[in-house]
Amino acid sequence: MDGDFRTQFVRDPASLKHYPALVLNADYRPLSYYPLSLWPWQEAIKAAYLDRVQIVAEYDHVVRSQRAEFRIPSVVVLKDYVKPQKRVAFTRFNLFLRDEFCCQYCGAKGDLTFDHVIPRARGGVTSWENVVAACS
Ligand SMILES: [Zn+2]
């Protein structure tokens, strides 16, 4: 029995890293969509411990420290409302989303990249106004 008792305390990091927590704002909306606001499970447990979030849902999986055990949160809600970012992040995914995953020159879908409408060599900047999805 002693052996069984000890193995309960053996943590397997590899089996735990796949337990992200969805982080919701105080109004229950995700903090961000692309990418979706996720925390590693360690962050979620820390925030819950510090009373910064309320746990809405949990995984079945339990982690144990020397003094306590926790079920890993799967959804947490911030207790304090965070003002959402008004600007949409200029990311590859968001740009393709705006351009509906189509080349803006010929409409083809598939292997996409970016194109500067005014080339960088001629002073074109990397911005929402000057960059479009295009065939690679
Ligand atoms: Zn094209």
Side-chain angles (χ1 to χ4, degrees), residues 19-74:
Y19 292 94
L22 173 63
V23 185
L24 303 177
N25 210 341
D27 64 355
Y28 284 73
R29 294 171 191 228
L31 279 186
S32 66
Y33 292 92
Y34 301 108
L36 195 60
S37 47
L38 298 173
W39 278 346
W41 65 268
Q42 295 93 333
E43 286 297 313
I45 286 180
K46 197 166 96 185
Y49 182 76
L50 295 173
D51 209 26
R52 292 193 182 135
V53 295
Q54 185 191 332
I55 297 170
V56 177
E58 296 169 323
Y59 292 104
D60 289 332
H61 208 99
V62 171
V63 283
R64 292 177 182 85
S65 71
Q66 287 183 343
R67 291 183 198 159
E69 66 173 49
F70 308 91
R71 285 182 69 191
I72 299 178
S74 57

Coordinates of all heavy atoms in Angstrom, one line a residue, residues 19-74:
Y19 N -4.1 20.8 -20.7 CA -5.3 21.2 -20.0 C -5.3 22.7 -19.9 O -5.2 23.3 -18.8 CB -5.3 20.6 -18.6 CG -5.5 19.1 -18.5 CD1 -4.4 18.3 -18.4 CD2 -6.7 18.6 -18.6 CE1 -4.5 16.9 -18.4 CE2 -6.9 17.2 -18.5 CZ -5.8 16.4 -18.5 OH -6.0 15.1 -18.4
P20 N -5.6 23.4 -21.1 CA -5.6 24.8 -21.0 C -7.0 25.3 -20.4 O -8.0 24.6 -20.5 CB -5.6 25.2 -22.5 CG -6.1 24.0 -23.2 CD -5.8 22.8 -22.4
A21 N -7.0 26.5 -19.8 CA -8.2 27.0 -19.3 C -8.6 28.2 -20.1 O -7.8 29.0 -20.5 CB -8.0 27.5 -17.8
L22 N -9.9 28.2 -20.5 CA -10.5 29.3 -21.2 C -10.7 30.4 -20.2 O -11.3 30.2 -19.2 CB -11.8 28.9 -21.9 CG -12.6 30.0 -22.5 CD1 -11.9 30.6 -23.7 CD2 -14.0 29.5 -23.0
V23 N -10.2 31.6 -20.6 CA -10.3 32.8 -19.6 C -11.4 33.7 -20.1 O -11.3 34.2 -21.3 CB -8.9 33.5 -19.6 CG1 -9.0 34.6 -18.5 CG2 -7.8 32.6 -19.2
L24 N -12.4 33.9 -19.3 CA -13.5 34.8 -19.7 C -13.3 36.1 -18.9 O -12.9 36.1 -17.7 CB -14.8 34.2 -19.4 CG -15.1 32.8 -20.0 CD1 -16.4 32.3 -19.6 CD2 -15.0 33.0 -21.6
N25 N -13.8 37.2 -19.5 CA -13.8 38.5 -18.8 C -14.9 38.4 -17.8 O -15.7 37.5 -17.7 CB -14.0 39.6 -19.8 CG -13.4 40.9 -19.4 OD1 -13.1 41.1 -18.2 ND2 -13.2 41.8 -20.3
A26 N -15.0 39.4 -16.9 CA -16.1 39.5 -15.9 C -17.5 39.4 -16.5 O -18.4 39.1 -15.8 CB -15.9 40.7 -15.0
D27 N -17.6 39.8 -17.8 CA -18.9 39.7 -18.4 C -19.1 38.4 -19.2 O -20.0 38.2 -20.0 CB -19.1 40.9 -19.4 CG -18.1 40.8 -20.6 OD1 -17.2 40.0 -20.6 OD2 -18.2 41.7 -21.5
Y28 N -18.3 37.4 -18.9 CA -18.3 36.1 -19.4 C -18.0 36.0 -20.9 O -18.4 35.0 -21.6 CB -19.7 35.4 -19.1 CG -19.8 34.9 -17.7 CD1 -19.9 35.9 -16.7 CD2 -19.7 33.6 -17.4 CE1 -20.0 35.5 -15.4 CE2 -19.8 33.2 -16.0 CZ -19.9 34.1 -15.0 OH -20.0 33.7 -13.7
R29 N -17.4 37.0 -21.5 CA -17.0 36.9 -22.9 C -15.5 36.5 -22.8 O -14.8 37.0 -21.9 CB -17.1 38.2 -23.6 CG -18.5 38.6 -23.8 CD -18.6 40.0 -24.4 NE -19.9 40.6 -24.3 CZ -20.5 41.2 -25.4 NH1 -19.8 41.4 -26.5 NH2 -21.7 41.6 -25.3
P30 N -15.0 35.8 -23.8 CA -13.6 35.5 -23.9 C -12.8 36.8 -23.9 O -13.2 37.7 -24.6 CB -13.4 34.7 -25.1 CG -14.7 34.1 -25.4 CD -15.7 35.1 -24.9
L31 N -11.6 36.8 -23.3 CA -10.8 38.0 -23.4 C -10.3 38.3 -24.8 O -10.2 39.4 -25.2 CB -9.5 37.8 -22.5 CG -9.7 38.0 -21.0 CD1 -8.3 37.9 -20.4 CD2 -10.3 39.4 -20.7
S32 N -10.1 37.2 -25.6 CA -9.8 37.4 -27.0 C -10.2 36.2 -27.7 O -10.5 35.1 -27.2 CB -8.3 37.6 -27.1 OG -7.6 36.4 -26.8
Y33 N -10.4 36.4 -29.0 CA -10.9 35.3 -29.9 C -9.8 34.7 -30.8 O -9.8 33.5 -31.0 CB -12.1 35.8 -30.7 CG -13.3 36.1 -29.9 CD1 -13.5 37.4 -29.5 CD2 -14.2 35.1 -29.6 CE1 -14.6 37.7 -28.7 CE2 -15.3 35.4 -28.9 CZ -15.5 36.7 -28.4 OH -16.6 37.0 -27.7
Y34 N -9.0 35.5 -31.4 CA -8.0 35.1 -32.2 C -6.7 35.7 -31.8 O -6.4 36.8 -32.2 CB -8.3 35.4 -33.7 CG -9.6 34.9 -34.2 CD1 -10.7 35.7 -34.4 CD2 -9.7 33.5 -34.4 CE1 -11.9 35.2 -34.8 CE2 -10.9 33.0 -34.8 CZ -12.0 33.8 -35.1 OH -13.2 33.3 -35.5
P35 N -5.9 35.0 -31.1 CA -6.1 33.7 -30.6 C -7.1 33.7 -29.4 O -7.2 34.7 -28.7 CB -4.7 33.2 -30.1 CG -4.0 34.5 -29.7 CD -4.6 35.5 -30.7
L36 N -7.7 32.6 -29.1 CA -8.6 32.5 -28.0 C -7.8 32.6 -26.7 O -6.7 32.1 -26.6 CB -9.3 31.1 -28.1 CG -10.6 30.9 -27.2 CD1 -11.7 31.9 -27.6 CD2 -11.1 29.5 -27.4
S37 N -8.4 33.3 -25.8 CA -7.7 33.5 -24.5 C -7.6 32.2 -23.7 O -8.6 31.8 -23.1 CB -8.4 34.6 -23.7 OG -9.8 34.4 -23.7
L38 N -6.5 31.6 -23.6 CA -6.3 30.4 -22.9 C -5.1 30.6 -22.0 O -4.1 31.3 -22.3 CB -5.9 29.2 -23.8 CG -7.0 28.8 -24.8 CD1 -6.5 27.8 -25.8 CD2 -8.3 28.3 -24.1
W39 N -5.2 30.0 -20.8 CA -4.0 30.0 -19.9 C -3.6 28.6 -19.7 O -4.4 27.6 -19.7 CB -4.5 30.5 -18.5 CG -4.5 31.9 -18.3 CD1 -4.0 32.9 -19.1 CD2 -5.1 32.6 -17.2 NE1 -4.3 34.2 -18.6 CE2 -5.0 34.0 -17.4 CE3 -5.8 32.2 -16.1 CZ2 -5.5 35.0 -16.6 CZ3 -6.3 33.1 -15.2 CH2 -6.1 34.5 -15.5
P40 N -2.3 28.4 -19.5 CA -1.8 27.0 -19.1 C -2.5 26.7 -17.7 O -2.8 27.7 -17.0 CB -0.3 27.2 -18.9 CG 0.0 28.5 -19.5 CD -1.2 29.3 -19.6
W41 N -2.7 25.5 -17.4 CA -3.4 25.1 -16.2 C -2.7 25.7 -15.0 O -3.4 26.0 -14.0 CB -3.6 23.6 -16.1 CG -2.3 22.8 -16.0 CD1 -1.6 22.2 -17.0 CD2 -1.7 22.5 -14.8 NE1 -0.5 21.6 -16.5 CE2 -0.5 21.7 -15.1 CE3 -1.9 22.7 -13.4 CZ2 0.4 21.2 -14.2 CZ3 -1.0 22.2 -12.5 CH2 0.1 21.5 -12.9
Q42 N -1.4 25.8 -15.0 CA -0.7 26.3 -13.8 C -1.2 27.8 -13.5 O -1.4 28.1 -12.3 CB 0.8 26.3 -14.0 CG 1.4 25.0 -14.2 CD 1.5 24.5 -15.6 OE1 0.7 25.0 -16.5 NE2 2.4 23.6 -15.9
E43 N -1.3 28.6 -14.6 CA -1.8 30.0 -14.4 C -3.2 30.0 -13.8 O -3.5 30.8 -13.0 CB -1.7 30.7 -15.8 CG -0.4 31.0 -16.3 CD 0.3 32.0 -15.3 OE1 -0.3 33.0 -14.9 OE2 1.5 31.8 -15.0
A44 N -4.0 29.1 -14.3 CA -5.4 29.1 -13.9 C -5.5 28.8 -12.4 O -6.3 29.4 -11.7 CB -6.2 28.1 -14.8
I45 N -4.7 27.8 -12.0 CA -4.8 27.4 -10.6 C -4.2 28.5 -9.7 O -4.8 28.8 -8.7 CB -4.0 26.1 -10.4 CG1 -4.9 24.9 -10.9 CG2 -3.7 25.9 -8.9 CD1 -4.3 23.6 -10.8
K46 N -3.1 29.1 -10.2 CA -2.5 30.2 -9.5 C -3.6 31.4 -9.3 O -3.7 31.9 -8.2 CB -1.3 30.7 -10.2 CG -0.4 31.6 -9.3 CD 1.0 31.8 -10.0 CE 1.0 33.1 -10.7 NZ 2.3 33.2 -11.5
A47 N -4.2 31.7 -10.4 CA -5.2 32.8 -10.3 C -6.4 32.5 -9.4 O -6.9 33.3 -8.7 CB -5.7 33.2 -11.7
A48 N -6.8 31.2 -9.4 CA -7.9 30.8 -8.6 C -7.4 30.9 -7.1 O -8.2 31.4 -6.2 CB -8.3 29.4 -8.9
Y49 N -6.2 30.5 -6.9 CA -5.7 30.5 -5.5 C -5.6 31.9 -5.0 O -5.8 32.2 -3.8 CB -4.3 29.8 -5.5 CG -3.6 29.7 -4.2 CD1 -4.0 28.8 -3.2 CD2 -2.6 30.6 -3.9 CE1 -3.4 28.7 -2.0 CE2 -2.0 30.5 -2.6 CZ -2.4 29.6 -1.7 OH -1.8 29.5 -0.4
L50 N -5.2 32.8 -5.9 CA -5.1 34.2 -5.5 C -6.4 35.0 -5.5 O -6.5 36.2 -5.3 CB -4.1 35.0 -6.5 CG -2.6 34.5 -6.4 CD1 -1.8 35.1 -7.5 CD2 -2.0 34.7 -5.0
D51 N -7.5 34.2 -5.8 CA -8.8 34.8 -5.8 C -9.1 35.8 -6.8 O -9.9 36.7 -6.7 CB -9.1 35.4 -4.4 CG -10.6 35.3 -4.0 OD1 -11.3 34.4 -4.6 OD2 -11.1 36.1 -3.3
R52 N -8.4 35.7 -8.0 CA -8.6 36.6 -9.1 C -9.6 36.1 -10.1 O -10.1 36.9 -10.9 CB -7.2 36.9 -9.8 CG -6.2 37.6 -9.0 CD -5.1 38.1 -9.8 NE -4.1 38.7 -8.9 CZ -2.8 38.5 -8.9 NH1 -2.3 37.7 -9.8 NH2 -2.0 39.1 -8.1
V53 N -9.9 34.9 -10.0 CA -10.9 34.3 -10.9 C -11.8 33.4 -10.2 O -11.5 32.9 -9.1 CB -10.2 33.5 -12.0 CG1 -9.3 34.3 -12.9 CG2 -9.4 32.3 -11.5
Q54 N -13.0 33.2 -10.8 CA -13.9 32.3 -10.3 C -13.9 31.1 -11.3 O -13.9 31.3 -12.5 CB -15.3 32.9 -10.3 CG -16.4 32.1 -9.7 CD -17.8 32.7 -10.0 OE1 -17.9 33.9 -10.2 NE2 -18.8 31.8 -10.1
I55 N -13.9 29.9 -10.7 CA -13.8 28.7 -11.6 C -15.3 28.3 -12.0 O -16.1 28.2 -11.2 CB -13.2 27.5 -10.9 CG1 -11.7 27.9 -10.6 CG2 -13.3 26.3 -11.7 CD1 -11.0 26.9 -9.7
V56 N -15.5 28.2 -13.3 CA -16.8 27.9 -13.8 C -16.9 26.5 -14.2 O -18.0 25.9 -14.0 CB -17.1 28.8 -15.1 CG1 -18.4 28.4 -15.7 CG2 -17.0 30.3 -14.8
A57 N -15.9 25.9 -14.7 CA -15.9 24.5 -15.1 C -14.5 23.9 -14.8 O -13.5 24.6 -14.8 CB -16.3 24.3 -16.5
E58 N -14.5 22.6 -14.6 CA -13.2 21.9 -14.3 C -13.0 20.6 -15.1 O -14.0 20.1 -15.6 CB -13.2 21.5 -12.8 CG -13.2 22.7 -11.9 CD -13.4 22.2 -10.4 OE1 -14.2 21.2 -10.2 OE2 -12.8 22.8 -9.5
Y59 N -11.8 20.3 -15.4 CA -11.5 19.0 -15.9 C -11.7 17.9 -14.8 O -11.7 18.2 -13.6 CB -10.1 18.9 -16.4 CG -9.8 19.8 -17.6 CD1 -9.1 21.0 -17.5 CD2 -10.2 19.4 -18.9 CE1 -8.8 21.8 -18.6 CE2 -9.9 20.2 -20.0 CZ -9.2 21.4 -19.8 OH -8.9 22.2 -20.9
D60 N -11.7 16.7 -15.2 CA -11.7 15.6 -14.2 C -10.4 15.4 -13.6 O -10.3 14.8 -12.5 CB -12.2 14.3 -14.9 CG -13.6 14.3 -15.3 OD1 -14.4 15.0 -14.6 OD2 -14.0 13.6 -16.2
H61 N -9.4 15.9 -14.3 CA -8.0 15.7 -13.8 C -7.6 16.5 -12.6 O -8.0 17.6 -12.4 CB -7.0 16.1 -14.9 CG -5.8 15.3 -14.9 ND1 -5.5 14.2 -15.7 CD2 -4.7 15.4 -14.1 CE1 -4.4 13.7 -15.4 NE2 -3.8 14.4 -14.5
V62 N -6.9 15.9 -11.7 CA -6.6 16.5 -10.4 C -5.0 16.6 -10.3 O -4.3 15.7 -10.7 CB -7.0 15.6 -9.2 CG1 -6.5 16.1 -7.9 CG2 -8.6 15.6 -9.2
V63 N -4.6 17.8 -9.8 CA -3.2 17.9 -9.5 C -3.0 18.0 -8.0 O -3.9 18.6 -7.3 CB -2.5 19.1 -10.2 CG1 -2.2 18.8 -11.6 CG2 -3.3 20.4 -10.0
R64 N -1.9 17.5 -7.5 CA -1.7 17.6 -6.1 C -0.4 18.3 -5.7 O 0.6 18.1 -6.4 CB -1.6 16.1 -5.5 CG -2.9 15.4 -5.6 CD -2.8 14.0 -5.1 NE -4.0 13.3 -5.3 CZ -4.4 12.7 -6.4 NH1 -3.7 12.7 -7.4 NH2 -5.6 12.1 -6.4
S65 N -0.5 19.2 -4.8 CA 0.7 19.7 -4.2 C 0.9 19.0 -2.9 O 0.2 18.0 -2.6 CB 0.5 21.2 -3.9 OG -0.4 21.4 -2.9
Q66 N 1.9 19.4 -2.1 CA 2.1 18.7 -0.9 C 1.0 18.8 0.1 O 0.7 18.0 0.9 CB 3.4 19.2 -0.2 CG 4.7 18.6 -1.0 CD 6.0 19.1 -0.4 OE1 6.0 20.0 0.4 NE2 7.0 18.4 -0.8
R67 N 0.3 20.0 0.0 CA -0.7 20.3 1.0 C -2.1 20.1 0.5 O -3.1 20.1 1.3 CB -0.5 21.7 1.5 CG 0.7 21.8 2.4 CD 0.8 23.2 2.9 NE 2.2 23.5 3.4 CZ 2.7 24.7 3.5 NH1 2.0 25.7 3.3 NH2 3.9 24.8 3.9
A68 N -2.3 20.2 -0.8 CA -3.7 20.3 -1.3 C -3.8 19.6 -2.6 O -2.8 19.3 -3.2 CB -4.1 21.7 -1.4
E69 N -5.0 19.4 -3.0 CA -5.2 18.9 -4.4 C -6.3 19.8 -5.1 O -7.2 20.3 -4.4 CB -5.6 17.4 -4.4 CG -6.9 17.1 -3.8 CD -7.2 15.6 -4.1 OE1 -6.3 14.8 -3.8 OE2 -8.3 15.3 -4.5
F70 N -6.1 19.9 -6.4 CA -7.0 20.8 -7.1 C -7.4 20.1 -8.4 O -6.7 19.4 -9.0 CB -6.2 22.0 -7.6 CG -5.5 22.8 -6.6 CD1 -4.2 22.5 -6.3 CD2 -6.1 23.8 -5.9 CE1 -3.5 23.2 -5.3 CE2 -5.4 24.5 -4.9 CZ -4.1 24.2 -4.6
R71 N -8.7 20.3 -8.7 CA -9.1 19.8 -10.0 C -8.7 21.0 -11.0 O -8.8 22.1 -10.6 CB -10.6 19.6 -10.1 CG -11.0 18.3 -9.4 CD -12.5 18.0 -9.5 NE -12.9 17.7 -10.8 CZ -14.2 17.6 -11.2 NH1 -15.1 17.8 -10.3 NH2 -14.5 17.4 -12.4
I72 N -8.2 20.6 -12.1 CA -7.7 21.6 -13.1 C -8.9 22.4 -13.7 O -9.9 21.7 -14.2 CB -6.9 20.9 -14.2 CG1 -5.7 20.2 -13.6 CG2 -6.5 22.0 -15.2 CD1 -4.8 19.5 -14.6
P73 N -8.9 23.7 -13.6 CA -10.0 24.5 -14.1 C -10.0 24.4 -15.6 O -8.9 24.4 -16.3 CB -9.7 25.9 -13.7 CG -8.6 25.8 -12.6 CD -7.9 24.5 -12.9
S74 N -11.2 24.3 -16.2 CA -11.2 24.4 -17.7 C -11.8 25.7 -18.2 O -11.5 26.2 -19.3 CB -12.1 23.2 -18.3 OG -13.4 23.2 -17.7

